[in-house]
Amino acid sequence: MWAGDQLSFVASVVRGVARLSQTLPDGRTRVVGLLMSSDFLGRPGREVLGCDVTAISDLTLCCFRREPFESLRAEIPHLTDRLLDLALDEMDAARDWILLLGRKTAREKIASLLAICAWRAGTTSYSAQGKPVWQPTTGPLTIDLVLSREMMADYLGLTIETTSRQISALKTLGVIALEGNRRVIVPDLRRLLAETGDDIGLMGHQQRQV
Amino acid sequence: MWAGDQLSFVASVVRGVARLSQTLPDGRTRVVGLLMSSDFLGRPGREVLGCDVTAISDLTLCCFRREPFESLRAEIPHLTDRLLDLALDEMDAARDWILLLGRKTAREKIASLLAICAWRAGTTSYSAQGKPVWQPTTGPLTIDLVLSREMMADYLGLTIETTSRQISALKTLGVIALEGNRRVIVPDLRRLLAETGDDIGLMGHQQRQV
DNA sequence: CGCTATATTGATTGGTGTCAACGGGAGTGG
DNA sequence: CCACTCCCGTTGACACCAATCAATATAGCG
């Protein structure tokens, strides 16, 4: 979509999912971030983004041209505060991810990803401050995976085959059920969380002690 | 050192190295960041840090108590701009790291880490803007590793043994030479870069196209 | 109803983790 | 000054998880 180009705009994701990725010269590619609704795209104060952005679903962006945005930022200092806040959140997510990539097994990685998506699915409402609110659910939970197996694999640093195998394994264990290829049903969230390798399960996404 | 505590101050690293880490309940620990000179410690606008900080060398910090700092930030909007800038840099580094952890072999990880340290070692001067300036070197380069093998392993998501083995392998290949345990000599930087798995080698640290 | 992309499953290999033994330097105490 | 110990690093043998190669199945779509 855009590759290291100068971005003439910044944007906020309204709906859909986009992926941030980088590529090694030998062709290996890594997803280094996922942008979902309310996430911010662009580098305030910077010219260039530094990685590729690809839409992986229908995507609605709220765009601002760069120069007006920068001058607006000069006028309203509080805007920068908010951007800093977003950047720090991103940083937390990135650190959780680093933890995941470095020290988790394939099974735990898959479970963690599903748990994060379950959390996203369960986060349907927002508080007055714009912070997502977790809706605790006891019953079964349905996740609409927007990601293909390949993208999950890239996301987790695995191969497609291993990804598929671990999903099958979780299905056999009864931790999840599949409905088509990209819809996952979680009968008991706790069982899924138990597979993630950290007892918090959502790795701080749920109630991070930031 | 400090674990998830409320930090009553923010700080800038003057000299030395500190590590940011998180721990999984079963005891697996992951370094999720390294703080070196000029790096910033603390979360402007936040109460709590969210991960552990440990000094791994003599460490000199330039500390500010939180409340005065926050009010200073309110007075001087430009300060927040600078903090945002730092956060975005951190984000870039985190993304590079994610790439490294997810798609690189043990050999490439070690080489990448050494390359980064070589870059740090070669960065002796700073431009007027405070940006480090890379001093291109053709001759041999000496790196003072502050890190123990264990910390390198945690940093890279490897075990101590694998770390040691890969270092030995690079030594056998003549890519590096050891002088004691924590001093590395790089006769030809290009040969080291060739082992990192990305032709840029320094993973954007050298001349990131941000 | 095929065609293609995506996903699953199987067989095998290889890289990294694990367990275990050994080496060497620094500090300590006799 | 030497013996002892402890910590860190190295090296080896082996096991195991995930990658790779390969075949098949399924879903999506014209």
Side-chain angles (χ1 to χ4, degrees), chain B residues 89-113:
Chain B
D89 278 341
E90 254 189 290
M91 204 57 222
D92 287 331
R95 293 217 168 102
D96 286 339
W97 200 344
I98 285 173
L99 185 68
L100 181 150
L101 287 173
R103 281 282 178 263
K104 288 201 172 187
T105 65
R107 170 82 50 95
E108 289 170 339
K109 288 179 181 178
I110 296 287
S112 297
L113 178 59

mmCIF file with all atom_site columns, all heavy atoms in Angstrom, chain B residues 89-113:
data_model
loop_
_atom_site.group_PDB
_atom_site.id
_atom_site.type_symbol
_atom_site.label_atom_id
_atom_site.label_alt_id
_atom_site.label_comp_id
_atom_site.label_asym_id
_atom_site.label_entity_id
_atom_site.label_seq_id
_atom_site.pdbx_PDB_ins_code
_atom_site.Cartn_x
_atom_site.Cartn_y
_atom_site.Cartn_z
_atom_site.occupancy
_atom_site.B_iso_or_equiv
_atom_site.pdbx_formal_charge
_atom_site.auth_seq_id
_atom_site.auth_comp_id
_atom_site.auth_asym_id
_atom_site.auth_atom_id
_atom_site.pdbx_PDB_model_num
ATOM 1   N N   . ASP B 1 89  ? 10.818 7.355   18.629 1.00 0.00 ? 89  ASP B N   1
ATOM 2   C CA  . ASP B 1 89  ? 12.097 6.670   18.429 1.00 0.00 ? 89  ASP B CA  1
ATOM 3   C C   . ASP B 1 89  ? 12.090 5.308   19.099 1.00 0.00 ? 89  ASP B C   1
ATOM 4   O O   . ASP B 1 89  ? 12.495 4.302   18.527 1.00 0.00 ? 89  ASP B O   1
ATOM 5   C CB  . ASP B 1 89  ? 13.247 7.509   19.001 1.00 0.00 ? 89  ASP B CB  1
ATOM 6   C CG  . ASP B 1 89  ? 13.687 8.592   18.020 1.00 0.00 ? 89  ASP B CG  1
ATOM 7   O OD1 . ASP B 1 89  ? 13.371 8.469   16.828 1.00 0.00 ? 89  ASP B OD1 1
ATOM 8   O OD2 . ASP B 1 89  ? 14.332 9.550   18.460 1.00 0.00 ? 89  ASP B OD2 1
ATOM 9   N N   . GLU B 1 90  ? 11.610 5.307   20.343 1.00 0.00 ? 90  GLU B N   1
ATOM 10  C CA  . GLU B 1 90  ? 11.520 4.052   21.081 1.00 0.00 ? 90  GLU B CA  1
ATOM 11  C C   . GLU B 1 90  ? 10.672 3.051   20.321 1.00 0.00 ? 90  GLU B C   1
ATOM 12  O O   . GLU B 1 90  ? 10.964 1.863   20.251 1.00 0.00 ? 90  GLU B O   1
ATOM 13  C CB  . GLU B 1 90  ? 10.877 4.311   22.449 1.00 0.00 ? 90  GLU B CB  1
ATOM 14  C CG  . GLU B 1 90  ? 11.830 4.275   23.608 1.00 0.00 ? 90  GLU B CG  1
ATOM 15  C CD  . GLU B 1 90  ? 11.071 4.322   24.911 1.00 0.00 ? 90  GLU B CD  1
ATOM 16  O OE1 . GLU B 1 90  ? 10.491 5.387   25.234 1.00 0.00 ? 90  GLU B OE1 1
ATOM 17  O OE2 . GLU B 1 90  ? 11.024 3.315   25.605 1.00 0.00 ? 90  GLU B OE2 1
ATOM 18  N N   . MET B 1 91  ? 9.588  3.559   19.768 1.00 0.00 ? 91  MET B N   1
ATOM 19  C CA  . MET B 1 91  ? 8.676  2.714   19.014 1.00 0.00 ? 91  MET B CA  1
ATOM 20  C C   . MET B 1 91  ? 9.390  2.080   17.828 1.00 0.00 ? 91  MET B C   1
ATOM 21  O O   . MET B 1 91  ? 9.221  0.890   17.562 1.00 0.00 ? 91  MET B O   1
ATOM 22  C CB  . MET B 1 91  ? 7.514  3.595   18.540 1.00 0.00 ? 91  MET B CB  1
ATOM 23  C CG  . MET B 1 91  ? 6.237  2.867   18.251 1.00 0.00 ? 91  MET B CG  1
ATOM 24  S SD  . MET B 1 91  ? 5.622  1.932   19.639 1.00 0.00 ? 91  MET B SD  1
ATOM 25  C CE  . MET B 1 91  ? 5.122  0.450   18.767 1.00 0.00 ? 91  MET B CE  1
ATOM 26  N N   . ASP B 1 92  ? 10.180 2.876   17.135 1.00 0.00 ? 92  ASP B N   1
ATOM 27  C CA  . ASP B 1 92  ? 10.935 2.343   16.005 1.00 0.00 ? 92  ASP B CA  1
ATOM 28  C C   . ASP B 1 92  ? 11.870 1.241   16.460 1.00 0.00 ? 92  ASP B C   1
ATOM 29  O O   . ASP B 1 92  ? 11.961 0.188   15.835 1.00 0.00 ? 92  ASP B O   1
ATOM 30  C CB  . ASP B 1 92  ? 11.747 3.466   15.339 1.00 0.00 ? 92  ASP B CB  1
ATOM 31  C CG  . ASP B 1 92  ? 10.863 4.401   14.550 1.00 0.00 ? 92  ASP B CG  1
ATOM 32  O OD1 . ASP B 1 92  ? 9.816  3.949   14.068 1.00 0.00 ? 92  ASP B OD1 1
ATOM 33  O OD2 . ASP B 1 92  ? 11.224 5.579   14.412 1.00 0.00 ? 92  ASP B OD2 1
ATOM 34  N N   . ALA B 1 93  ? 12.562 1.503   17.552 1.00 0.00 ? 93  ALA B N   1
ATOM 35  C CA  . ALA B 1 93  ? 13.490 0.508   18.066 1.00 0.00 ? 93  ALA B CA  1
ATOM 36  C C   . ALA B 1 93  ? 12.739 -0.762  18.436 1.00 0.00 ? 93  ALA B C   1
ATOM 37  O O   . ALA B 1 93  ? 13.186 -1.876  18.156 1.00 0.00 ? 93  ALA B O   1
ATOM 38  C CB  . ALA B 1 93  ? 14.240 1.062   19.276 1.00 0.00 ? 93  ALA B CB  1
ATOM 39  N N   . ALA B 1 94  ? 11.567 -0.594  19.066 1.00 0.00 ? 94  ALA B N   1
ATOM 40  C CA  . ALA B 1 94  ? 10.773 -1.753  19.463 1.00 0.00 ? 94  ALA B CA  1
ATOM 41  C C   . ALA B 1 94  ? 10.354 -2.561  18.235 1.00 0.00 ? 94  ALA B C   1
ATOM 42  O O   . ALA B 1 94  ? 10.375 -3.786  18.245 1.00 0.00 ? 94  ALA B O   1
ATOM 43  C CB  . ALA B 1 94  ? 9.556  -1.308  20.254 1.00 0.00 ? 94  ALA B CB  1
ATOM 44  N N   . ARG B 1 95  ? 9.989  -1.863  17.174 1.00 0.00 ? 95  ARG B N   1
ATOM 45  C CA  . ARG B 1 95  ? 9.559  -2.567  15.963 1.00 0.00 ? 95  ARG B CA  1
ATOM 46  C C   . ARG B 1 95  ? 10.721 -3.327  15.339 1.00 0.00 ? 95  ARG B C   1
ATOM 47  O O   . ARG B 1 95  ? 10.556 -4.450  14.875 1.00 0.00 ? 95  ARG B O   1
ATOM 48  C CB  . ARG B 1 95  ? 8.992  -1.568  14.946 1.00 0.00 ? 95  ARG B CB  1
ATOM 49  C CG  . ARG B 1 95  ? 7.710  -0.937  15.403 1.00 0.00 ? 95  ARG B CG  1
ATOM 50  C CD  . ARG B 1 95  ? 6.733  -0.733  14.264 1.00 0.00 ? 95  ARG B CD  1
ATOM 51  N NE  . ARG B 1 95  ? 5.415  -0.395  14.786 1.00 0.00 ? 95  ARG B NE  1
ATOM 52  C CZ  . ARG B 1 95  ? 4.909  0.842   14.809 1.00 0.00 ? 95  ARG B CZ  1
ATOM 53  N NH1 . ARG B 1 95  ? 5.619  1.845   14.348 1.00 0.00 ? 95  ARG B NH1 1
ATOM 54  N NH2 . ARG B 1 95  ? 3.710  1.052   15.303 1.00 0.00 ? 95  ARG B NH2 1
ATOM 55  N N   . ASP B 1 96  ? 11.893 -2.694  15.311 1.00 0.00 ? 96  ASP B N   1
ATOM 56  C CA  . ASP B 1 96  ? 13.066 -3.403  14.804 1.00 0.00 ? 96  ASP B CA  1
ATOM 57  C C   . ASP B 1 96  ? 13.294 -4.667  15.601 1.00 0.00 ? 96  ASP B C   1
ATOM 58  O O   . ASP B 1 96  ? 13.612 -5.725  15.079 1.00 0.00 ? 96  ASP B O   1
ATOM 59  C CB  . ASP B 1 96  ? 14.301 -2.500  14.910 1.00 0.00 ? 96  ASP B CB  1
ATOM 60  C CG  . ASP B 1 96  ? 14.293 -1.407  13.864 1.00 0.00 ? 96  ASP B CG  1
ATOM 61  O OD1 . ASP B 1 96  ? 13.594 -1.569  12.849 1.00 0.00 ? 96  ASP B OD1 1
ATOM 62  O OD2 . ASP B 1 96  ? 14.983 -0.404  14.051 1.00 0.00 ? 96  ASP B OD2 1
ATOM 63  N N   . TRP B 1 97  ? 13.119 -4.529  16.901 1.00 0.00 ? 97  TRP B N   1
ATOM 64  C CA  . TRP B 1 97  ? 13.355 -5.641  17.794 1.00 0.00 ? 97  TRP B CA  1
ATOM 65  C C   . TRP B 1 97  ? 12.361 -6.771  17.536 1.00 0.00 ? 97  TRP B C   1
ATOM 66  O O   . TRP B 1 97  ? 12.705 -7.962  17.533 1.00 0.00 ? 97  TRP B O   1
ATOM 67  C CB  . TRP B 1 97  ? 13.217 -5.153  19.209 1.00 0.00 ? 97  TRP B CB  1
ATOM 68  C CG  . TRP B 1 97  ? 13.871 -6.006  20.207 1.00 0.00 ? 97  TRP B CG  1
ATOM 69  C CD1 . TRP B 1 97  ? 14.306 -7.302  20.031 1.00 0.00 ? 97  TRP B CD1 1
ATOM 70  C CD2 . TRP B 1 97  ? 14.176 -5.663  21.536 1.00 0.00 ? 97  TRP B CD2 1
ATOM 71  N NE1 . TRP B 1 97  ? 14.849 -7.762  21.179 1.00 0.00 ? 97  TRP B NE1 1
ATOM 72  C CE2 . TRP B 1 97  ? 14.779 -6.776  22.121 1.00 0.00 ? 97  TRP B CE2 1
ATOM 73  C CE3 . TRP B 1 97  ? 13.986 -4.518  22.293 1.00 0.00 ? 97  TRP B CE3 1
ATOM 74  C CZ2 . TRP B 1 97  ? 15.192 -6.770  23.436 1.00 0.00 ? 97  TRP B CZ2 1
ATOM 75  C CZ3 . TRP B 1 97  ? 14.404 -4.532  23.599 1.00 0.00 ? 97  TRP B CZ3 1
ATOM 76  C CH2 . TRP B 1 97  ? 14.998 -5.629  24.163 1.00 0.00 ? 97  TRP B CH2 1
ATOM 77  N N   . ILE B 1 98  ? 11.106 -6.383  17.304 1.00 0.00 ? 98  ILE B N   1
ATOM 78  C CA  . ILE B 1 98  ? 10.077 -7.368  17.004 1.00 0.00 ? 98  ILE B CA  1
ATOM 79  C C   . ILE B 1 98  ? 10.448 -8.141  15.754 1.00 0.00 ? 98  ILE B C   1
ATOM 80  O O   . ILE B 1 98  ? 10.323 -9.369  15.701 1.00 0.00 ? 98  ILE B O   1
ATOM 81  C CB  . ILE B 1 98  ? 8.710  -6.670  16.840 1.00 0.00 ? 98  ILE B CB  1
ATOM 82  C CG1 . ILE B 1 98  ? 8.174  -6.264  18.211 1.00 0.00 ? 98  ILE B CG1 1
ATOM 83  C CG2 . ILE B 1 98  ? 7.721  -7.564  16.115 1.00 0.00 ? 98  ILE B CG2 1
ATOM 84  C CD1 . ILE B 1 98  ? 6.928  -5.420  18.161 1.00 0.00 ? 98  ILE B CD1 1
ATOM 85  N N   . LEU B 1 99  ? 10.933 -7.401  14.773 1.00 0.00 ? 99  LEU B N   1
ATOM 86  C CA  . LEU B 1 99  ? 11.392 -8.046  13.544 1.00 0.00 ? 99  LEU B CA  1
ATOM 87  C C   . LEU B 1 99  ? 12.485 -9.044  13.854 1.00 0.00 ? 99  LEU B C   1
ATOM 88  O O   . LEU B 1 99  ? 12.474 -10.183 13.388 1.00 0.00 ? 99  LEU B O   1
ATOM 89  C CB  . LEU B 1 99  ? 11.913 -6.975  12.578 1.00 0.00 ? 99  LEU B CB  1
ATOM 90  C CG  . LEU B 1 99  ? 12.332 -7.423  11.195 1.00 0.00 ? 99  LEU B CG  1
ATOM 91  C CD1 . LEU B 1 99  ? 11.125 -7.874  10.387 1.00 0.00 ? 99  LEU B CD1 1
ATOM 92  C CD2 . LEU B 1 99  ? 13.064 -6.322  10.464 1.00 0.00 ? 99  LEU B CD2 1
ATOM 93  N N   . LEU B 1 100 ? 13.408 -8.613  14.683 1.00 0.00 ? 100 LEU B N   1
ATOM 94  C CA  . LEU B 1 100 ? 14.546 -9.451  15.046 1.00 0.00 ? 100 LEU B CA  1
ATOM 95  C C   . LEU B 1 100 ? 14.094 -10.727 15.754 1.00 0.00 ? 100 LEU B C   1
ATOM 96  O O   . LEU B 1 100 ? 14.513 -11.825 15.424 1.00 0.00 ? 100 LEU B O   1
ATOM 97  C CB  . LEU B 1 100 ? 15.492 -8.645  15.953 1.00 0.00 ? 100 LEU B CB  1
ATOM 98  C CG  . LEU B 1 100 ? 16.767 -9.292  16.461 1.00 0.00 ? 100 LEU B CG  1
ATOM 99  C CD1 . LEU B 1 100 ? 17.830 -8.215  16.664 1.00 0.00 ? 100 LEU B CD1 1
ATOM 100 C CD2 . LEU B 1 100 ? 16.551 -9.998  17.795 1.00 0.00 ? 100 LEU B CD2 1
ATOM 101 N N   . LEU B 1 101 ? 13.205 -10.581 16.725 1.00 0.00 ? 101 LEU B N   1
ATOM 102 C CA  . LEU B 1 101 ? 12.799 -11.728 17.530 1.00 0.00 ? 101 LEU B CA  1
ATOM 103 C C   . LEU B 1 101 ? 11.982 -12.718 16.722 1.00 0.00 ? 101 LEU B C   1
ATOM 104 O O   . LEU B 1 101 ? 12.058 -13.922 16.934 1.00 0.00 ? 101 LEU B O   1
ATOM 105 C CB  . LEU B 1 101 ? 11.978 -11.257 18.729 1.00 0.00 ? 101 LEU B CB  1
ATOM 106 C CG  . LEU B 1 101 ? 12.755 -10.575 19.838 1.00 0.00 ? 101 LEU B CG  1
ATOM 107 C CD1 . LEU B 1 101 ? 11.806 -10.007 20.865 1.00 0.00 ? 101 LEU B CD1 1
ATOM 108 C CD2 . LEU B 1 101 ? 13.705 -11.559 20.489 1.00 0.00 ? 101 LEU B CD2 1
ATOM 109 N N   . GLY B 1 102 ? 11.190 -12.208 15.781 1.00 0.00 ? 102 GLY B N   1
ATOM 110 C CA  . GLY B 1 102 ? 10.256 -13.083 15.116 1.00 0.00 ? 102 GLY B CA  1
ATOM 111 C C   . GLY B 1 102 ? 10.835 -13.817 13.934 1.00 0.00 ? 102 GLY B C   1
ATOM 112 O O   . GLY B 1 102 ? 10.409 -14.914 13.620 1.00 0.00 ? 102 GLY B O   1
ATOM 113 N N   . ARG B 1 103 ? 11.802 -13.248 13.279 1.00 0.00 ? 103 ARG B N   1
ATOM 114 C CA  . ARG B 1 103 ? 12.206 -13.802 11.996 1.00 0.00 ? 103 ARG B CA  1
ATOM 115 C C   . ARG B 1 103 ? 13.700 -14.017 11.844 1.00 0.00 ? 103 ARG B C   1
ATOM 116 O O   . ARG B 1 103 ? 14.172 -14.230 10.745 1.00 0.00 ? 103 ARG B O   1
ATOM 117 C CB  . ARG B 1 103 ? 11.719 -12.892 10.860 1.00 0.00 ? 103 ARG B CB  1
ATOM 118 C CG  . ARG B 1 103 ? 10.258 -13.045 10.504 1.00 0.00 ? 103 ARG B CG  1
ATOM 119 C CD  . ARG B 1 103 ? 10.036 -14.283 9.659  1.00 0.00 ? 103 ARG B CD  1
ATOM 120 N NE  . ARG B 1 103 ? 8.647  -14.499 9.323  1.00 0.00 ? 103 ARG B NE  1
ATOM 121 C CZ  . ARG B 1 103 ? 7.845  -15.313 10.000 1.00 0.00 ? 103 ARG B CZ  1
ATOM 122 N NH1 . ARG B 1 103 ? 8.284  -15.966 11.045 1.00 0.00 ? 103 ARG B NH1 1
ATOM 123 N NH2 . ARG B 1 103 ? 6.587  -15.482 9.612  1.00 0.00 ? 103 ARG B NH2 1
ATOM 124 N N   . LYS B 1 104 ? 14.432 -13.944 12.930 1.00 0.00 ? 104 LYS B N   1
ATOM 125 C CA  . LYS B 1 104 ? 15.867 -14.108 12.777 1.00 0.00 ? 104 LYS B CA  1
ATOM 126 C C   . LYS B 1 104 ? 16.358 -15.358 13.477 1.00 0.00 ? 104 LYS B C   1
ATOM 127 O O   . LYS B 1 104 ? 15.831 -15.763 14.510 1.00 0.00 ? 104 LYS B O   1
ATOM 128 C CB  . LYS B 1 104 ? 16.600 -12.876 13.323 1.00 0.00 ? 104 LYS B CB  1
ATOM 129 C CG  . LYS B 1 104 ? 16.443 -11.645 12.449 1.00 0.00 ? 104 LYS B CG  1
ATOM 130 C CD  . LYS B 1 104 ? 17.546 -10.634 12.714 1.00 0.00 ? 104 LYS B CD  1
ATOM 131 C CE  . LYS B 1 104 ? 17.477 -9.507  11.698 1.00 0.00 ? 104 LYS B CE  1
ATOM 132 N NZ  . LYS B 1 104 ? 18.630 -8.610  11.828 1.00 0.00 ? 104 LYS B NZ  1
ATOM 133 N N   . THR B 1 105 ? 17.403 -15.947 12.922 1.00 0.00 ? 105 THR B N   1
ATOM 134 C CA  . THR B 1 105 ? 18.024 -17.104 13.543 1.00 0.00 ? 105 THR B CA  1
ATOM 135 C C   . THR B 1 105 ? 18.904 -16.644 14.695 1.00 0.00 ? 105 THR B C   1
ATOM 136 O O   . THR B 1 105 ? 19.195 -15.454 14.845 1.00 0.00 ? 105 THR B O   1
ATOM 137 C CB  . THR B 1 105 ? 18.901 -17.860 12.540 1.00 0.00 ? 105 THR B CB  1
ATOM 138 O OG1 . THR B 1 105 ? 19.988 -17.009 12.167 1.00 0.00 ? 105 THR B OG1 1
ATOM 139 C CG2 . THR B 1 105 ? 18.109 -18.230 11.308 1.00 0.00 ? 105 THR B CG2 1
ATOM 140 N N   . ALA B 1 106 ? 19.353 -17.594 15.496 1.00 0.00 ? 106 ALA B N   1
ATOM 141 C CA  . ALA B 1 106 ? 20.193 -17.263 16.641 1.00 0.00 ? 106 ALA B CA  1
ATOM 142 C C   . ALA B 1 106 ? 21.445 -16.516 16.193 1.00 0.00 ? 106 ALA B C   1
ATOM 143 O O   . ALA B 1 106 ? 21.804 -15.487 16.770 1.00 0.00 ? 106 ALA B O   1
ATOM 144 C CB  . ALA B 1 106 ? 20.571 -18.531 17.403 1.00 0.00 ? 106 ALA B CB  1
ATOM 145 N N   . ARG B 1 107 ? 22.045 -17.006 15.134 1.00 0.00 ? 107 ARG B N   1
ATOM 146 C CA  . ARG B 1 107 ? 23.252 -16.371 14.620 1.00 0.00 ? 107 ARG B CA  1
ATOM 147 C C   . ARG B 1 107 ? 22.986 -14.913 14.250 1.00 0.00 ? 107 ARG B C   1
ATOM 148 O O   . ARG B 1 107 ? 23.729 -14.005 14.618 1.00 0.00 ? 107 ARG B O   1
ATOM 149 C CB  . ARG B 1 107 ? 23.753 -17.144 13.386 1.00 0.00 ? 107 ARG B CB  1
ATOM 150 C CG  . ARG B 1 107 ? 24.876 -16.482 12.593 1.00 0.00 ? 107 ARG B CG  1
ATOM 151 C CD  . ARG B 1 107 ? 26.220 -16.739 13.197 1.00 0.00 ? 107 ARG B CD  1
ATOM 152 N NE  . ARG B 1 107 ? 26.420 -18.148 13.452 1.00 0.00 ? 107 ARG B NE  1
ATOM 153 C CZ  . ARG B 1 107 ? 27.045 -18.998 12.628 1.00 0.00 ? 107 ARG B CZ  1
ATOM 154 N NH1 . ARG B 1 107 ? 27.538 -18.567 11.497 1.00 0.00 ? 107 ARG B NH1 1
ATOM 155 N NH2 . ARG B 1 107 ? 27.207 -20.250 12.955 1.00 0.00 ? 107 ARG B NH2 1
ATOM 156 N N   . GLU B 1 108 ? 21.906 -14.710 13.537 1.00 0.00 ? 108 GLU B N   1
ATOM 157 C CA  . GLU B 1 108 ? 21.566 -13.362 13.085 1.00 0.00 ? 108 GLU B CA  1
ATOM 158 C C   . GLU B 1 108 ? 21.247 -12.456 14.270 1.00 0.00 ? 108 GLU B C   1
ATOM 159 O O   . GLU B 1 108 ? 21.581 -11.265 14.267 1.00 0.00 ? 108 GLU B O   1
ATOM 160 C CB  . GLU B 1 108 ? 20.377 -13.420 12.124 1.00 0.00 ? 108 GLU B CB  1
ATOM 161 C CG  . GLU B 1 108 ? 20.708 -14.027 10.776 1.00 0.00 ? 108 GLU B CG  1
ATOM 162 C CD  . GLU B 1 108 ? 19.467 -14.296 9.934  1.00 0.00 ? 108 GLU B CD  1
ATOM 163 O OE1 . GLU B 1 108 ? 18.365 -14.383 10.511 1.00 0.00 ? 108 GLU B OE1 1
ATOM 164 O OE2 . GLU B 1 108 ? 19.601 -14.428 8.717  1.00 0.00 ? 108 GLU B OE2 1
ATOM 165 N N   . LYS B 1 109 ? 20.617 -13.009 15.277 1.00 0.00 ? 109 LYS B N   1
ATOM 166 C CA  . LYS B 1 109 ? 20.295 -12.205 16.453 1.00 0.00 ? 109 LYS B CA  1
ATOM 167 C C   . LYS B 1 109 ? 21.560 -11.706 17.128 1.00 0.00 ? 109 LYS B C   1
ATOM 168 O O   . LYS B 1 109 ? 21.696 -10.524 17.448 1.00 0.00 ? 109 LYS B O   1
ATOM 169 C CB  . LYS B 1 109 ? 19.462 -13.031 17.437 1.00 0.00 ? 109 LYS B CB  1
ATOM 170 C CG  . LYS B 1 109 ? 18.034 -13.285 17.001 1.00 0.00 ? 109 LYS B CG  1
ATOM 171 C CD  . LYS B 1 109 ? 17.312 -14.134 18.035 1.00 0.00 ? 109 LYS B CD  1
ATOM 172 C CE  . LYS B 1 109 ? 15.879 -14.415 17.612 1.00 0.00 ? 109 LYS B CE  1
ATOM 173 N NZ  . LYS B 1 109 ? 15.180 -15.290 18.597 1.00 0.00 ? 109 LYS B NZ  1
ATOM 174 N N   . ILE B 1 110 ? 22.482 -12.634 17.361 1.00 0.00 ? 110 ILE B N   1
ATOM 175 C CA  . ILE B 1 110 ? 23.740 -12.255 18.000 1.00 0.00 ? 110 ILE B CA  1
ATOM 176 C C   . ILE B 1 110 ? 24.462 -11.196 17.187 1.00 0.00 ? 110 ILE B C   1
ATOM 177 O O   . ILE B 1 110 ? 24.889 -10.157 17.701 1.00 0.00 ? 110 ILE B O   1
ATOM 178 C CB  . ILE B 1 110 ? 24.650 -13.497 18.167 1.00 0.00 ? 110 ILE B CB  1
ATOM 179 C CG1 . ILE B 1 110 ? 24.001 -14.509 19.103 1.00 0.00 ? 110 ILE B CG1 1
ATOM 180 C CG2 . ILE B 1 110 ? 26.017 -13.093 18.688 1.00 0.00 ? 110 ILE B CG2 1
ATOM 181 C CD1 . ILE B 1 110 ? 23.993 -14.125 20.544 1.00 0.00 ? 110 ILE B CD1 1
ATOM 182 N N   . ALA B 1 111 ? 24.562 -11.460 15.884 1.00 0.00 ? 111 ALA B N   1
ATOM 183 C CA  . ALA B 1 111 ? 25.253 -10.510 15.010 1.00 0.00 ? 111 ALA B CA  1
ATOM 184 C C   . ALA B 1 111 ? 24.566 -9.146  15.061 1.00 0.00 ? 111 ALA B C   1
ATOM 185 O O   . ALA B 1 111 ? 25.232 -8.106  15.111 1.00 0.00 ? 111 ALA B O   1
ATOM 186 C CB  . ALA B 1 111 ? 25.298 -11.049 13.586 1.00 0.00 ? 111 ALA B CB  1
ATOM 187 N N   . SER B 1 112 ? 23.249 -9.143  15.076 1.00 0.00 ? 112 SER B N   1
ATOM 188 C CA  . SER B 1 112 ? 22.516 -7.883  15.109 1.00 0.00 ? 112 SER B CA  1
ATOM 189 C C   . SER B 1 112 ? 22.814 -7.120  16.393 1.00 0.00 ? 112 SER B C   1
ATOM 190 O O   . SER B 1 112 ? 23.047 -5.909  16.375 1.00 0.00 ? 112 SER B O   1
ATOM 191 C CB  . SER B 1 112 ? 21.015 -8.154  15.006 1.00 0.00 ? 112 SER B CB  1
ATOM 192 O OG  . SER B 1 112 ? 20.692 -8.759  13.784 1.00 0.00 ? 112 SER B OG  1
ATOM 193 N N   . LEU B 1 113 ? 22.804 -7.839  17.505 1.00 0.00 ? 113 LEU B N   1
ATOM 194 C CA  . LEU B 1 113 ? 23.077 -7.180  18.780 1.00 0.00 ? 113 LEU B CA  1
ATOM 195 C C   . LEU B 1 113 ? 24.472 -6.579  18.793 1.00 0.00 ? 113 LEU B C   1
ATOM 196 O O   . LEU B 1 113 ? 24.670 -5.427  19.197 1.00 0.00 ? 113 LEU B O   1
ATOM 197 C CB  . LEU B 1 113 ? 22.919 -8.184  19.933 1.00 0.00 ? 113 LEU B CB  1
ATOM 198 C CG  . LEU B 1 113 ? 23.225 -7.632  21.318 1.00 0.00 ? 113 LEU B CG  1
ATOM 199 C CD1 . LEU B 1 113 ? 22.310 -6.461  21.643 1.00 0.00 ? 113 LEU B CD1 1
ATOM 200 C CD2 . LEU B 1 113 ? 23.080 -8.704  22.379 1.00 0.00 ? 113 LEU B CD2 1
#
